[in-house]
Amino acid sequence: MRTRGLWALSLAATALFSGAAFAQQQATAVAARPAGYDLAREGTIVGTVVSFDPAGKNLPLGAHVVLQTSSGTLDVHLGDAHFLQTNNFSIKSGDTLRVIGETVAYGRSTQFVARVVQNGTRALQVRSVRGLPLGQSLPKSESNGKQGGAQ
């Protein structure tokens, strides 16, 4: 009888610790993915280009631009650099950009992601209204039929 009680206690402890480990793995997996994009949280920033890296090594991977704004510097994710190039959208140090986008949770930090970027009179939609970066293989239904057109 005593052995049966110890066995049940051991089984319960194993289940408890396994459940806690599984919950921690799930939380880590969720934290590694970017949070959902929400048009209601969008904002506009204006800044001068400090640097542009078409193959940024920071997450999320892709083109990044660092802007000097009135409140400091801000790293902005622009998505696929090839998409920018294909649409003849160039960015260089000293340019003044207007960016519509939002700050989203990404892993254990946050990242400002652009949906529309404007350089002078030229604007380019780089992300869908659902927050997915536009690219060469994006279905027309996702981009509302406007591959690269500003909304």
Side-chain angles (χ1 to χ4, degrees):
M1 188 67 120
R2 183 177 169 157
T3 305
R4 185 179 280 171
L6 288 174
W7 181 81
L9 182 61
S10 175
L11 182 62
T14 301
L16 178 66
F17 289 122
S18 295
F22 179 74
Q24 185 175 6
Q25 285 177 334
Q26 290 295 91
T28 302
V30 168
R33 284 185 256 140
Y37 193 94
D38 185 354
L39 290 174
R41 294 189 309 246
E42 271 190 341
T44 301
I45 58 166
V46 176
T48 303
V49 175
V50 174
S51 64
F52 172 64
D53 186 357
K57 309 228 182 334
N58 296 336
L59 293 176
L61 296 177
H64 284 256
V65 64
V66 175
L67 297 178
Q68 180 64 52
T69 70
S70 59
S71 57
T73 58
L74 179 66
D75 177 46
V76 178
H77 182 256
L78 298 176
D80 183 7
H82 185 68
F83 183 73
L84 298 172
Q85 182 181 13
T86 300
N87 285 282
N88 298 315
F89 196 86
S90 63
I91 298 172
K92 62 185 181 307
S93 291
D95 286 351
T96 298
L97 300 183
R98 177 178 174 260
V99 181
I100 299 171
E102 77 167 285
T103 301
V104 297
Y106 196 87
R108 296 180 190 256
S109 63
T110 59
Q111 174 69 56
F112 192 87
V113 295
R115 186 174 66 82
V116 178
V117 61
Q118 181 179 351
N119 190 352
T121 60
R122 184 107 202 283
L124 180 67
Q125 181 178 345
V126 296
R127 196 172 298 280
S128 74
V129 294
R130 287 192 242 155
L132 300 173
L134 298 180
Q136 297 308 101
S137 61
L138 184 69
K140 284 190 179 222
S141 63
E142 176 59 37
S143 65
N144 298 323
K146 295 183 179 181
Q147 196 74 345
Q151 256 183 321

